[in-house]
Amino acid sequence: MAEIKQIDGKDYILCTWRHKYVRLTPEEWVRQQFLHRLVEQYGYPESLIAVEVQLATGRRADAVVYNNNLQPLVLIEFKAATVPLTQQVLDQIAVYNRQFAVPYLILCNGAQTVTAKVMNQQITFLEDIPAWTQLSN
């Protein structure tokens, strides 16, 4: 699945979404593994996932999933496996969501995944990641 190569003694992984090799950091490993899982296990169309999406604040969202009308649907924040998914991480993605106003938020550090539905400024935590068929209806 993951295509890795060395450049100047450092590991790089092929990012399908950016169409280039990027530095293989612990967070990047989580991102690549999770996004491939979204496509393969949950049926998300690869073409509707964007990586490193620019925010108005100058920061970047780790990944955004769009619906078939290219409206943002899911905002995803990745952390390295050693970084716990705390309230601070949830606050970070909530701030990013002020720009996107998506109905679904996902936090993932490889070991743990937190999925939430946002409706009327209320957050409800979900048991699992919704399948694409659930989101696209």
Side-chain angles (χ1 to χ4, degrees), residues 122-135:
Q122 296 291 323
I123 294 178
T124 305
F125 293 99
L126 305 177
E127 292 288 321
D128 195 11
I129 300 162
W132 177 252
T133 53
Q134 292 174 274
L135 297 181

Side-chain angles (χ1 to χ4, degrees), residues 1-131:
M1 176 199 299
E3 194 174 318
I4 298 171
K5 71 177 183 179
Q6 282 208 333
I7 303 172
D8 297 328
K10 296 182 175 150
D11 289 332
Y12 284 74
I13 189 167
L14 180 62
C15 177
T16 305
W17 292 270
R18 289 175 274 186
H19 308 289
K20 66 179 184 177
Y21 282 88
V22 296
R23 185 73 192 278
L24 181 54
T25 62
E27 183 176 314
E28 191 62 42
W29 178 255
V30 170
R31 178 192 342 241
Q32 295 301 319
Q33 296 303 308
F34 184 83
L35 292 180
H36 283 283
R37 194 172 90 194
L38 273 186
V39 172
E40 294 163 14
Q41 185 176 337
Y42 293 93
Y44 285 56
E46 192 174 290
S47 62
L48 294 178
I49 300 171
V51 172
E52 293 288 323
V53 177
Q54 188 71 42
L55 298 167
T57 61
R59 301 205 55 184
R60 289 189 173 106
D62 288 340
V64 178
V65 178
Y66 295 87
N67 65 18
N68 291 320
N69 297 322
L70 301 182
Q71 300 297 314
L73 185 62
V74 182
L75 189 56
I76 309 170
E77 179 65 26
F78 298 105
K79 297 295 181 191
T82 56
V83 178
L85 300 180
T86 62
Q87 181 65 46
Q88 185 178 0
V89 177
L90 183 60
D91 292 345
Q92 177 185 357
I93 200 171
V95 167
Y96 292 175
N97 199 32
R98 289 181 190 156
Q99 178 173 328
F100 291 100
V102 299
Y104 294 94
L105 304 174
I106 299 175
L107 309 173
C108 182
N109 66 3
Q112 181 185 12
T113 301
V114 175
T115 307
K117 183 172 173 86
V118 182
M119 202 157 119
N120 301 325
Q121 298 183 342
Q122 296 291 323
I123 294 178
T124 305
F125 293 99
L126 305 177
E127 292 288 321
D128 195 11
I129 300 162

